[in-house]
Amino acid sequence: MTNSPAPEYSAERFDVAIIGGGAAGLSAAIALGRSLRRVIVIDAGRQRNLPAHDAHNILGREGIAPADLIAAGRSEAVGYGVTLADDAVSGARRDDAGFSLDLVSGAVVAARRILLATGLIDELPAIDGLSAGWGQTVLHCPYCHGWEVRGQRIGVIATGPMAEHQALLFGRLSDQVTVFDHGDVVGAEARARLGAMGIAVVGGLVERVLADGPRVQAVVVGGRDHAVDAVVVGTRMHARAEVFEQLGGEVTEHPLGSFIETDPTGRTALDGVWAAGNVRDLSAMVGAASGHGVFAGAAINADLVDADVREALASAVH
Ligand SMILES: Cc1cc2nc3c(=O)[nH]c(=O)nc-3n(C[C@H](O)[C@H](O)[C@H](O)COP(=O)(O)OP(=O)(O)OC[C@H]3O[C@@H](n4cnc5c(N)ncnc54)[C@H](O)[C@@H]3O)c2cc1C
């Protein structure tokens, strides 16, 4: 907690507090701001794709740097009167009029509804040498980075159920794909399918990945170096759900990690709490996360309109 004076927004009750200012949170903020809702976005600034140089499959902004996309979204949100707080939510509770959020800075934010747009944490396989290249030459997604490594030597480190799928997708982009069956997860049928597509499988534990800074150079198995230009891994994806859990919610387990279950609009099992983006859909890329945000923003606005009508009817009766 700091000793600086409380920010102005501590005195205000917002219609919506959005926790997380990535594609999902900022898209929701714009939809709500355009409906003249009082909105605050509280963001700790750790969007998932920041380690990558460029973001792809972004219509109209193809190849934009992730930080530039966020900066543009923030400025668009501010243009509609949205308040931005560069801070993190550390605690949450219900009160008579909605929710009260404690921020790491010591500020307190009050809001009628909450949107969780907190994203997820990628847990990399525990292999020496992998993490330095994450997002640059250590990759997970053929749509995000595949074009950039087309034709190159690509090593897929198999640790889970997605490995064969990843190898086949990267196999469309290069005829130099090798699967390293670190987790002993590639069965006979999968080997046959991969073999039919010209993809070799190397058995045995990966001892380490050799790299020069963020550039991977080789995958080491059984003391032998296999030269590569890029490595593909499957991460375990954990929803950032601390606030949801503090409010009494429970995450749903998934073969690839965990997520917050919602209805199609993003409404969670907790009254007044919505979720959008990777926190509710582990597979959502930027476009999908943004779509979730707009949809949740519209659903929250409709929910607030309903509440306003109920309140107006009740006060007309008295
Ligand atoms: C390396 C890499 C490259 C990728 N490349 C692409 C690509 O090229 N194209 C593409 O479409 N997708 C790409 N993706 C996927 C993309 O990152 C996600 O689709 C997108 O980030 C999801 O947006 P989001 O808003 O749900 O979450 P995020 O962008 O992760 O934003 C969540 C935000 O919430 C904040 N937050 C979390 N908890 C709190 C809290 N308690 N208080 C305050 N703030 C909090 C975080 O700090 C973060 O800023 C890539 C992913 C990775 C890992």
Side-chain angles (χ1 to χ4, degrees):
M1 190 182 291
T2 66
N3 292 324
S4 42
E8 273 174 29
Y9 54 72
S10 284
E12 184 166 355
R13 176 163 289 275
F14 289 91
D15 289 319
V16 188
I18 298 175
I19 309 174
L26 290 172
S27 298
I30 290 168
L32 285 157
R34 285 174 52 78
S35 292
L36 297 178
R37 289 294 176 192
R38 287 295 300 127
V39 179
I40 184 167
V41 177
I42 305 146
D43 183 44
R46 291 167 57 204
Q47 289 82 6
R48 185 181 172 209
N49 57 342
L50 286 182
H53 288 306
D54 323 301
H56 298 283
N57 301 301
I58 315 288
L59 191 63
R61 304 302 296 268
E62 177 55 21
I64 187 172
D68 291 349
L69 185 66
I70 294 302
R74 283 167 65 98
S75 125
E76 287 163 2
V78 167
Y80 290 114
V82 170
T83 299
L84 301 180
D86 293 326
D87 211 325
V89 175
S90 56
R93 61 198 163 278
R94 284 185 191 276
D95 61 23
D96 289 345
F99 300 90
S100 186
L101 303 177
D102 299 322
L103 309 196
V104 166
S105 63
V108 176
V109 166
R112 297 168 70 193
R113 301 288 183 274
I114 293 181
L115 174 63
L116 302 169
T118 42
L120 61 77
I121 293 176
D122 287 289
E123 182 191 344
L124 291 170
I127 296 172
D128 273 358
L130 262 189
S131 58
W134 174 236
Q136 294 187 39
T137 60
V138 176
L139 316 171
H140 72 302
C141 159
Y143 305 105
C144 308
H145 322 271
W147 169 267
E148 284 64 36
V149 297
R150 67 194 183 284
Q152 297 185 8
R153 295 166 300 181
I154 301 171
V156 178
I157 299 183
T159 55
M162 293 303 285
E164 180 197 350
H165 180 63
Q166 283 180 310
L168 290 171
L169 294 182
F170 276 95
R172 286 212 31 76
L173 299 161
S174 172
D175 57 8
Q176 301 185 77
V177 175
T178 305
V179 173
F180 296 96
D181 192 9
H182 178 70
D184 200 14
V185 291
V186 185
E189 283 181 20
R191 276 174 189 255
R193 280 191 292 271
L194 291 165
M197 299 307 286
I199 297 173
V201 179
V202 174
L205 280 181
V206 173
E207 286 145 34
R208 76 184 68 82
V209 169
L210 301 179
D212 178 12
R215 302 220 66 78
V216 294
Q217 295 175 319
V219 175
V220 184
V221 179
R224 183 178 155 209
D225 296 359
H226 298 262
V228 291
D229 304 302
V231 160
V232 173
V233 294
T235 62
R236 280 199 69 73
M237 296 174 279
H238 306 282
R240 284 197 185 112
E242 296 85 351
V243 173
F244 186 62
E245 289 171 338
Q246 279 167 7
L247 290 168
E250 283 180 23
V251 295
T252 302
E253 295 304 319
H254 181 281
L256 302 179
S258 61
F259 67 102
I260 294 176
E261 210 162 332
T262 70
D263 77 1
T265 72
R267 187 191 287 265
T268 73
L270 301 182
D271 199 28
V273 181
W274 272 258
N278 273 161
V279 74
R280 63 160 277 214
D281 178 355
L282 304 179
S283 69
M285 295 170 65
V286 169
S290 178
H292 289 163
V294 175
F295 216 62
I300 294 171
N301 186 43
D303 187 57
L304 287 168
V305 167
D306 279 349
D308 292 342
V309 170
R310 278 197 305 276
E311 223 171 86
L313 283 173
S315 52
V317 169
H318 295 300

